[in-house]
Amino acid sequence: MDSFDIKNKVVLITGSSGGIGYTLAKGMAMHGATVIINGRNETKIQNTVIELIHRGLNVHGYVFDVNDSAEVNQQIVRIEKEVGPIDVLVNNAGIQIRKPLEDFAEKDWKQIIDTNLTSAFIVSKAVVKGMIKRRQGKIINICSLMSELGRPTIAPYAASKGGLRMLTRAMCVEWARYNIQINGVGPGYFITDMTSSLAEDPQFDSWLKNRTPAARWGDPAELVGTAVFLASKASSYINGQIIYVDGGLLAAI
């Protein structure tokens, strides 16, 4: 069971003041990790840190924009000085804008690609330098069911998550030689702030439950086990893979 131990590992999770990122932060901290909460809203970060500390968890909050490379580099140096070397990076920051592709504004396209894909490159590049020196590390990219599929009104999101799947594989090819494992988690449909409007739509809710073999939405807490596994020694020879946590949706026609 020691292979699954992540106690005292320093885990940075981007975009973790809410949604799936928050659930992963809480879950990994409950497994004994020292978790860095990240986001751009200082108030939300402070409130999240206070809440989790009151639960007896070891968390720290750092406010920075994952799309600002200068700011990212500065804050990574600060984190490793104040908290310790980052053992695990979870690239979770992401946004969604739903609109027919022909109506998408170029600025919205760029915002989605930058937040969902480019930020993973920027933060990973900053963090991996220390991992290479230490000859060990874990990077977990939060991909999506849409890394494999498309749906109307979310083309830029699908493009960003498909790109993140391939970036995961490219990172593996570049960095596995340094004993760094880079893998992805591909959530299916989970009830979060991002999907609440879909969950409240009776037609979509019915479609999803009929389409998914498990016949239900996912609970974000069901992603924690996969993240812990990929952050631990138990996954030391798994590299460049995406684990889809989707209730069987991808397996069914």
Side-chain angles (χ1 to χ4, degrees):
M1 293 302 295
D2 288 347
S3 295
F4 294 88
D5 187 4
I6 62 168
K7 288 179 181 176
N8 302 318
K9 286 187 177 293
V10 176
V11 180
L12 167 60
I13 305 177
T14 65
S16 48
S17 62
I20 285 175
Y22 166 79
T23 301
L24 293 177
K26 180 173 71 172
M28 296 180 85
M30 289 176 69
H31 280 78
T34 298
V35 175
I36 309 299
I37 306 292
N38 158 258
R40 293 183 299 177
N41 187 312
E42 186 169 359
T43 300
K44 286 185 69 176
I45 294 295
Q46 288 177 346
N47 290 341
T48 301
V49 169
I50 290 170
E51 177 200 340
L52 295 180
I53 287 176
H54 283 169
R55 292 174 179 262
L57 304 177
N58 189 1
V59 300
H60 305 264
Y62 284 80
V63 181
F64 60 91
D65 183 349
V66 292
N67 284 315
D68 185 328
S69 57
E71 190 176 354
V72 167
N73 289 329
Q74 181 183 45
Q75 292 300 315
I76 295 305
V77 170
R78 182 182 165 206
I79 289 169
E80 297 208 326
K81 180 179 180 181
E82 296 176 353
V83 182
I86 296 169
D87 300 297
V88 182
L89 166 63
V90 181
N91 286 309
N92 167 78
I95 60 170
Q96 172 69 291
I97 300 172
R98 292 184 176 87
K99 193 178 296 188
L101 182 57
E102 64 272 19
D103 295 331
F104 248 97
E106 186 176 340
K107 65 178 180 62
D108 292 335
W109 168 278
K110 289 181 177 179
Q111 183 182 11
I112 291 172
I113 298 296
D114 285 349
T115 304
N116 297 2
L117 176 59
T118 306
S119 71
F121 160 70
I122 291 172
V123 182
S124 296
K125 183 181 176 183
V127 171
V128 81
K129 294 174 183 177
M131 292 181 173
I132 290 173
K133 288 179 182 178
R134 297 186 292 273
R135 290 299 192 270
Q136 64 179 8
K138 301 275 190 176
I139 298 176
I140 304 169
N141 294 325
I142 304 303
C143 297
S144 169
L145 195 64
M146 299 309 157
S147 295
E148 300 286 348
L149 301 175
R151 273 191 58 79
T153 75
I154 61 167
Y157 183 85
S160 69
K161 292 298 185 177
L164 189 57
R165 178 192 66 175
M166 291 309 301
L167 181 60
T168 301
R169 294 175 177 176
M171 287 176 172
C172 165
V173 173
E174 296 271 356
W175 299 332
R177 71 194 72 181
Y178 302 112
N179 189 32
I180 301 168
Q181 291 82 54
I182 306 96
N183 293 289
V185 178
Y189 282 95
F190 286 75
I191 296 180
T192 66
D193 292 342
M194 192 180 289
T195 61
S196 60
S197 62
L198 299 177
E200 293 166 3
D201 180 340
Q203 185 176 356
F204 188 90
D205 179 65
S206 176
W207 173 85
L208 176 66
K209 290 174 179 175
N210 288 327
R211 175 71 173 79
T212 304
R216 65 177 178 85
W217 290 77
D219 180 336
E222 293 175 293
L223 294 166
V224 173
T226 305
V228 170
F229 168 63
L230 292 177
S232 72
K233 290 181 181 178
S235 59
S236 61
Y237 201 58
I238 297 176
N239 226 327
Q241 304 302 309
I242 312 297
I243 300 178
Y244 290 98
V245 186
D246 66 353
L249 195 153
L250 273 177
I253 296 176

